[in-house]
């Protein structure tokens, strides 16, 4: 893996990453003027660009960063189940950052070398982290639906299908969601997204401002800062701002400065920075020799980590400006991912095709001033983000959700579903390290996630008591999914 790009940011900004100290809250007028000045400066530093144009200039300076903890502290959190303990006043505002298509092993905490996300690594080291987290699916729409409602789609009578177009895709407009629940409690709510599936037409919600488009992280962060400055956030009422960034999604085409390691690599027959190139190399994969496969994987890794390094720098810019304006003094930051990404570990490139760990595993953590670091070791899922965040903010427990408050011990069996395009549904159930994997075509596996993290060794035995326990939890979901999809579940329970 190419770690130079991740280290480039760390080396350029470590000296500015001391502990965050509370800063006086500026007046409304002063804060608005500060935002206008800071946004203008940073807009000049990181102009919008076309990542597919090799002649498009990209500013290579490291953006200013806030004084967040050094990423070298990652991994120093206390052992055991984490609860939300604050030193000082509990925060009341929420900055929610969701990132598309991000593999768990991109964070230094979950790999043996330094990853491409030093800024987020630093935040994670100072936060409450869900160390065994997964999405409830391996595709954006159901994964986000879980996070924003606290329920799996099938529990809501919905069953989004990859590339599907029917009514099973969309939440009814009056569905209670993260934003509508907070709005009912007097919050001002804002959404800026670069993935249409987060729009109210799919995920409902109630927002004072909702917008977005297919823009890169620099443009999205600049837009977010303008909206924050124009709206007068922080003047009195509590607020929630949700920013979703899609840059790591394929095709992987980071700015030129974030793919410089490709200069020393041999030229391939496919342009991996384009959708066509990614599709063509996927179609050719089974016929490639080992040397070519290794080279394809190496270059995909450079491009993918470059996308994430770019996102990391832009999030450092966002939080740096907000910190300078005093807006992080009373704010809980939630970072989560909608799903992961497979890189041919099971024969495919991308996501939305399986529930294997590379596609289904997720990342989630919270950070705030005065929040004591903690690690939650229980199995968690995106359904838990809503009730856990309400718990952390000291808000009334949301009704009608099946998600649990992370950090309160449970013996839950974690469930997930996926309905791939032009294929039958896929489901999984996990208890401890044992994960049952089932497709409606009748194929079943059992994996031990501790001894076989890549899920390459099937140990399914229908006489195993663990298998029986997992089937007991999964069969009701199989029935619900069969009723919603109209597909026949072959061999379920055997």
């Amino acid at each position: 893996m190419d770690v130079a790009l991740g280290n480039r940011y760390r080396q350029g900004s470590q000296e500015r990453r001391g502990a965050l100290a509370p800063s006086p809250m500026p007046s409304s007028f002063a804060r608005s003027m500060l935002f206008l000045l800071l946004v203008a400066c940073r807009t000049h530093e990181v102009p919008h660009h076309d990542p597919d144009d090799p002649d498009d200039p990209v500013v290579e300076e490291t953006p200013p960063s806030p004084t967040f903890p050094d990423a070298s502290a990652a991994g120093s959190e206390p052992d055991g189940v984490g609860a939300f303990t604050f030193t000082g006043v509990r925060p009341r505002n929420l900055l929610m950052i969701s990132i598309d298509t991000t593999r768990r092993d991109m964070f230094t905490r979950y790999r043996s070398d330094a990853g491409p996300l030093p800024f987020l690594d630093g935040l994670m080291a100072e936060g409450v982290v869900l160390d065994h987290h997964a999405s409830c699916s391996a595709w954006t729409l159901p994964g986000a639906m879980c996070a924003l409602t606290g329920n799996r789609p099938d529990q809501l009578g919905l069953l989004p299908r990859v590339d599907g177009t029917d009514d099973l895709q969309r939440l009814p407009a009056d569905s209670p969601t993260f934003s509508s629940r907070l709005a009912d409690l007097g919050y001002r709510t804002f959404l800026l997204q670069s993935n249409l599936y987060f729009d109210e037409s799919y995920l409902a919600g109630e927002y004072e401002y909702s917008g977005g488009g297919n823009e890169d992280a620099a443009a999205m962060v600049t837009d977010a800062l303008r909206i924050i400055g124009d709206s007068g956030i922080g003047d009195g009422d509590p607020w929630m701002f949700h920013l979703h960034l899609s840059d790591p999604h394929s095709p992987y085409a980071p700015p030129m400065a974030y793919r410089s390691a490709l200069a020393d690599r041999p030229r391939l027959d496919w342009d991996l920075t384009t959708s066509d190139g990614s599709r063509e190399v996927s179609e050719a994969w089974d016929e490639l020799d080992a040397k070519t496969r290794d080279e394809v994987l190496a270059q995909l890794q450079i491009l993918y980590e470059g996308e994430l390094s770019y996102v990391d720098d832009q999030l450092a810019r966002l939080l740096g400006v907000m910190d300078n304006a005093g807006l992080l003094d009373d704010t809980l930051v939630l970072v989560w991912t909608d799903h992961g990404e497979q890189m041919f570990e099971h024969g495919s490139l991308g996501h939305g095709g399986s529930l294997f760990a590379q596609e289904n595993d997720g990342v989630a953590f919270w950070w705030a001033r005065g929040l004591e670091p903690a690690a939650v070791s229980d199995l968690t899922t995106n359904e838990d983000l809503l009730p856990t965040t309400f718990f952390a903010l000291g808000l009334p427990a949301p009704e009608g959700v099946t998600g649990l408050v992370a950090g309160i011990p449970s013996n839950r069996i974690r469930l997930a579903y996926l309905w791939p395009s032009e294929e039958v549904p896929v489901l999984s159930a996990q208890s401890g390290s044992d994960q049952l994997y089932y497709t409606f075509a009748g194929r079943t596996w059992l994996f031990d996630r501790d001894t076989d993290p890549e899920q390459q060794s099937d140990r399914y035995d229908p006489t195993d008591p663990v298998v029986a326990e997992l089937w007991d939890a999964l069969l009701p979901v199989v029935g619900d999914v069969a009723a919603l999809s109209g597909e026949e579940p072959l061999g379920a329970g055997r």
Side-chain angles (χ1 to χ4, degrees):
M1 295 183 182
D2 173 46
V3 299
L5 295 175
N7 288 334
R8 182 175 64 82
Y9 174 78
R10 180 183 292 108
Q11 293 164 356
S13 62
Q14 266 189 345
E15 64 272 17
R16 295 190 290 273
R17 291 189 180 183
L20 276 169
S23 57
M25 179 65 76
S27 68
S28 173
F29 175 77
R31 183 163 51 251
S32 296
M33 295 304 294
L34 177 62
F35 263 109
L36 290 175
L37 175 61
L38 290 170
V39 171
C41 291
R42 283 157 175 79
T43 302
H44 173 73
E45 291 171 2
V46 188
H48 183 64
H49 68 280
D50 178 1
D52 289 325
D53 183 359
D55 298 320
D56 195 14
V58 177
V59 177
E60 299 193 32
E61 299 91 59
T62 300
S65 71
T67 54
F68 278 87
D70 190 325
S72 63
S76 62
E77 296 77 12
D79 293 331
V81 174
F84 286 83
T85 303
F86 295 94
T87 301
V89 179
R90 184 187 297 267
R92 64 173 189 156
N93 306 307
L94 176 64
L95 173 62
M96 183 191 301
I97 298 169
S98 51
I99 310 173
D100 224 297
T101 317
T102 301
R103 288 173 61 111
R104 170 186 168 89
D105 60 8
M106 292 298 100
F107 288 81
T108 300
R109 187 183 185 94
Y110 306 119
R111 56 194 279 167
S112 59
D113 59 349
L117 299 165
F119 175 74
L120 290 178
D121 282 341
L123 278 188
M124 179 181 275
E126 291 292 319
V128 172
V129 188
L130 307 184
D131 270 334
H132 296 281
H133 189 69
S135 180
C136 62
S137 191
W139 175 47
T140 294
L141 183 53
M145 199 174 285
C146 291
L148 299 184
T149 68
N151 295 286
R152 290 195 320 275
D154 59 281
Q155 295 169 313
L156 302 172
L158 301 172
L159 201 71
R161 182 178 191 173
V162 177
D163 298 330
T165 58
D166 57 34
D167 292 338
L168 297 179
Q169 303 284 97
R170 301 173 188 267
L171 277 176
D174 60 352
S175 301
T177 64
F178 226 124
S179 61
S180 67
R181 290 177 185 271
L182 288 175
D184 288 344
L185 294 172
Y187 276 67
R188 302 177 65 191
T189 55
F190 302 82
L191 170 68
L192 184 63
Q193 47 78 20
S194 55
N195 186 322
L196 178 63
Y197 288 130
F198 281 84
D199 185 78
E200 300 104 309
S201 63
Y202 281 95
L203 291 178
E206 182 176 340
Y207 300 100
E208 179 178 326
Y209 175 89
S210 175
N214 189 23
E215 296 184 298
D216 74 356
M220 293 293 291
V221 165
T222 295
D223 288 347
L225 291 172
R226 286 186 177 132
I227 294 164
I228 291 170
D230 290 346
S231 66
I233 277 181
D235 287 343
D237 292 333
W239 52 266
M240 163 193 161
F241 196 105
H242 182 184
L243 173 67
H244 180 78
L245 300 178
S246 297
D247 297 65
H249 199 287
S250 63
Y252 318 134
M256 298 304 294
Y258 292 81
R259 53 171 110 166
S260 59
L262 287 179
D264 299 326
R265 311 295 307 196
R267 187 177 182 85
L268 294 171
D269 293 336
W270 313 274
D271 182 354
L272 301 180
T273 66
T274 67
S275 296
D276 286 345
S278 298
R279 175 181 51 78
E280 290 166 1
V281 78
S282 295
E283 293 171 349
W285 184 256
D286 289 343
E287 307 302 323
L288 300 181
D289 58 61
K291 181 178 179 181
T292 304
R293 284 188 176 190
D294 288 346
E295 186 58 38
V296 167
L297 289 173
Q299 296 196 25
L300 285 171
Q301 197 73 40
I302 290 170
L303 292 167
Y304 181 65
E305 293 199 6
E307 291 274 25
L308 287 163
S309 181
Y310 181 56
V311 165
D312 195 62
D313 281 354
Q314 299 312 313
L315 289 177
R317 180 165 71 98
L318 171 68
L319 271 69
V321 175
M322 295 185 72
D323 184 35
N324 290 336
L327 291 176
L328 297 186
D329 294 344
D330 193 21
T331 296
L332 180 69
V333 180
L334 165 61
V335 178
W336 58 277
T337 61
D338 58 353
H339 54 76
E341 185 82 332
Q342 188 185 154
M343 291 194 178
F344 294 111
E345 289 90 349
H346 295 274
S348 299
L349 175 65
H351 57 269
S354 79
L355 288 174
F356 290 118
Q358 296 81 9
E359 297 185 49
N360 185 222
D361 279 0
V363 172
F365 67 91
W366 292 260
W367 177 93
R369 275 201 178 89
L371 175 61
E372 294 187 7
V376 176
S377 58
D378 286 341
L379 296 178
T380 57
T381 179
N382 278 5
E383 299 161 65
D384 303 331
L385 300 181
L386 191 157
T388 304
T389 301
F390 274 52
F391 174 81
L393 292 170
L395 299 175
E399 297 180 353
V401 302
T402 56
L404 305 178
V405 174
I408 297 178
S410 71
N411 295 316
R412 70 119 55 94
I413 292 179
R414 184 170 65 192
L415 304 172
Y417 101 93
L418 177 70
W419 194 3
S421 177
E422 300 181 1
E423 295 183 29
V424 295
V426 180
L427 293 88
S428 77
Q430 183 175 351
S431 175
S433 64
D434 295 305
Q435 183 175 16
L436 175 68
Y437 191 114
Y438 165 72
T439 82
F440 270 42
R443 183 72 171 92
T444 312
W445 299 260
L446 182 72
F447 299 107
D448 185 329
R449 295 290 304 274
D450 284 345
T451 62
D452 180 26
E454 297 297 315
Q455 297 173 303
Q456 300 292 325
S457 179
D458 176 20
R459 42 188 290 269
Y460 185 82
D461 177 356
T463 66
D464 186 341
V466 170
V467 170
E469 177 190 17
L470 292 172
W471 270 125
D472 285 345
L474 194 60
L475 281 174
V477 184
V478 171
D480 291 342
V481 170
L484 289 165
S485 67
E487 299 280 353
E488 180 182 0
L490 303 177
R494 298 201 296 268

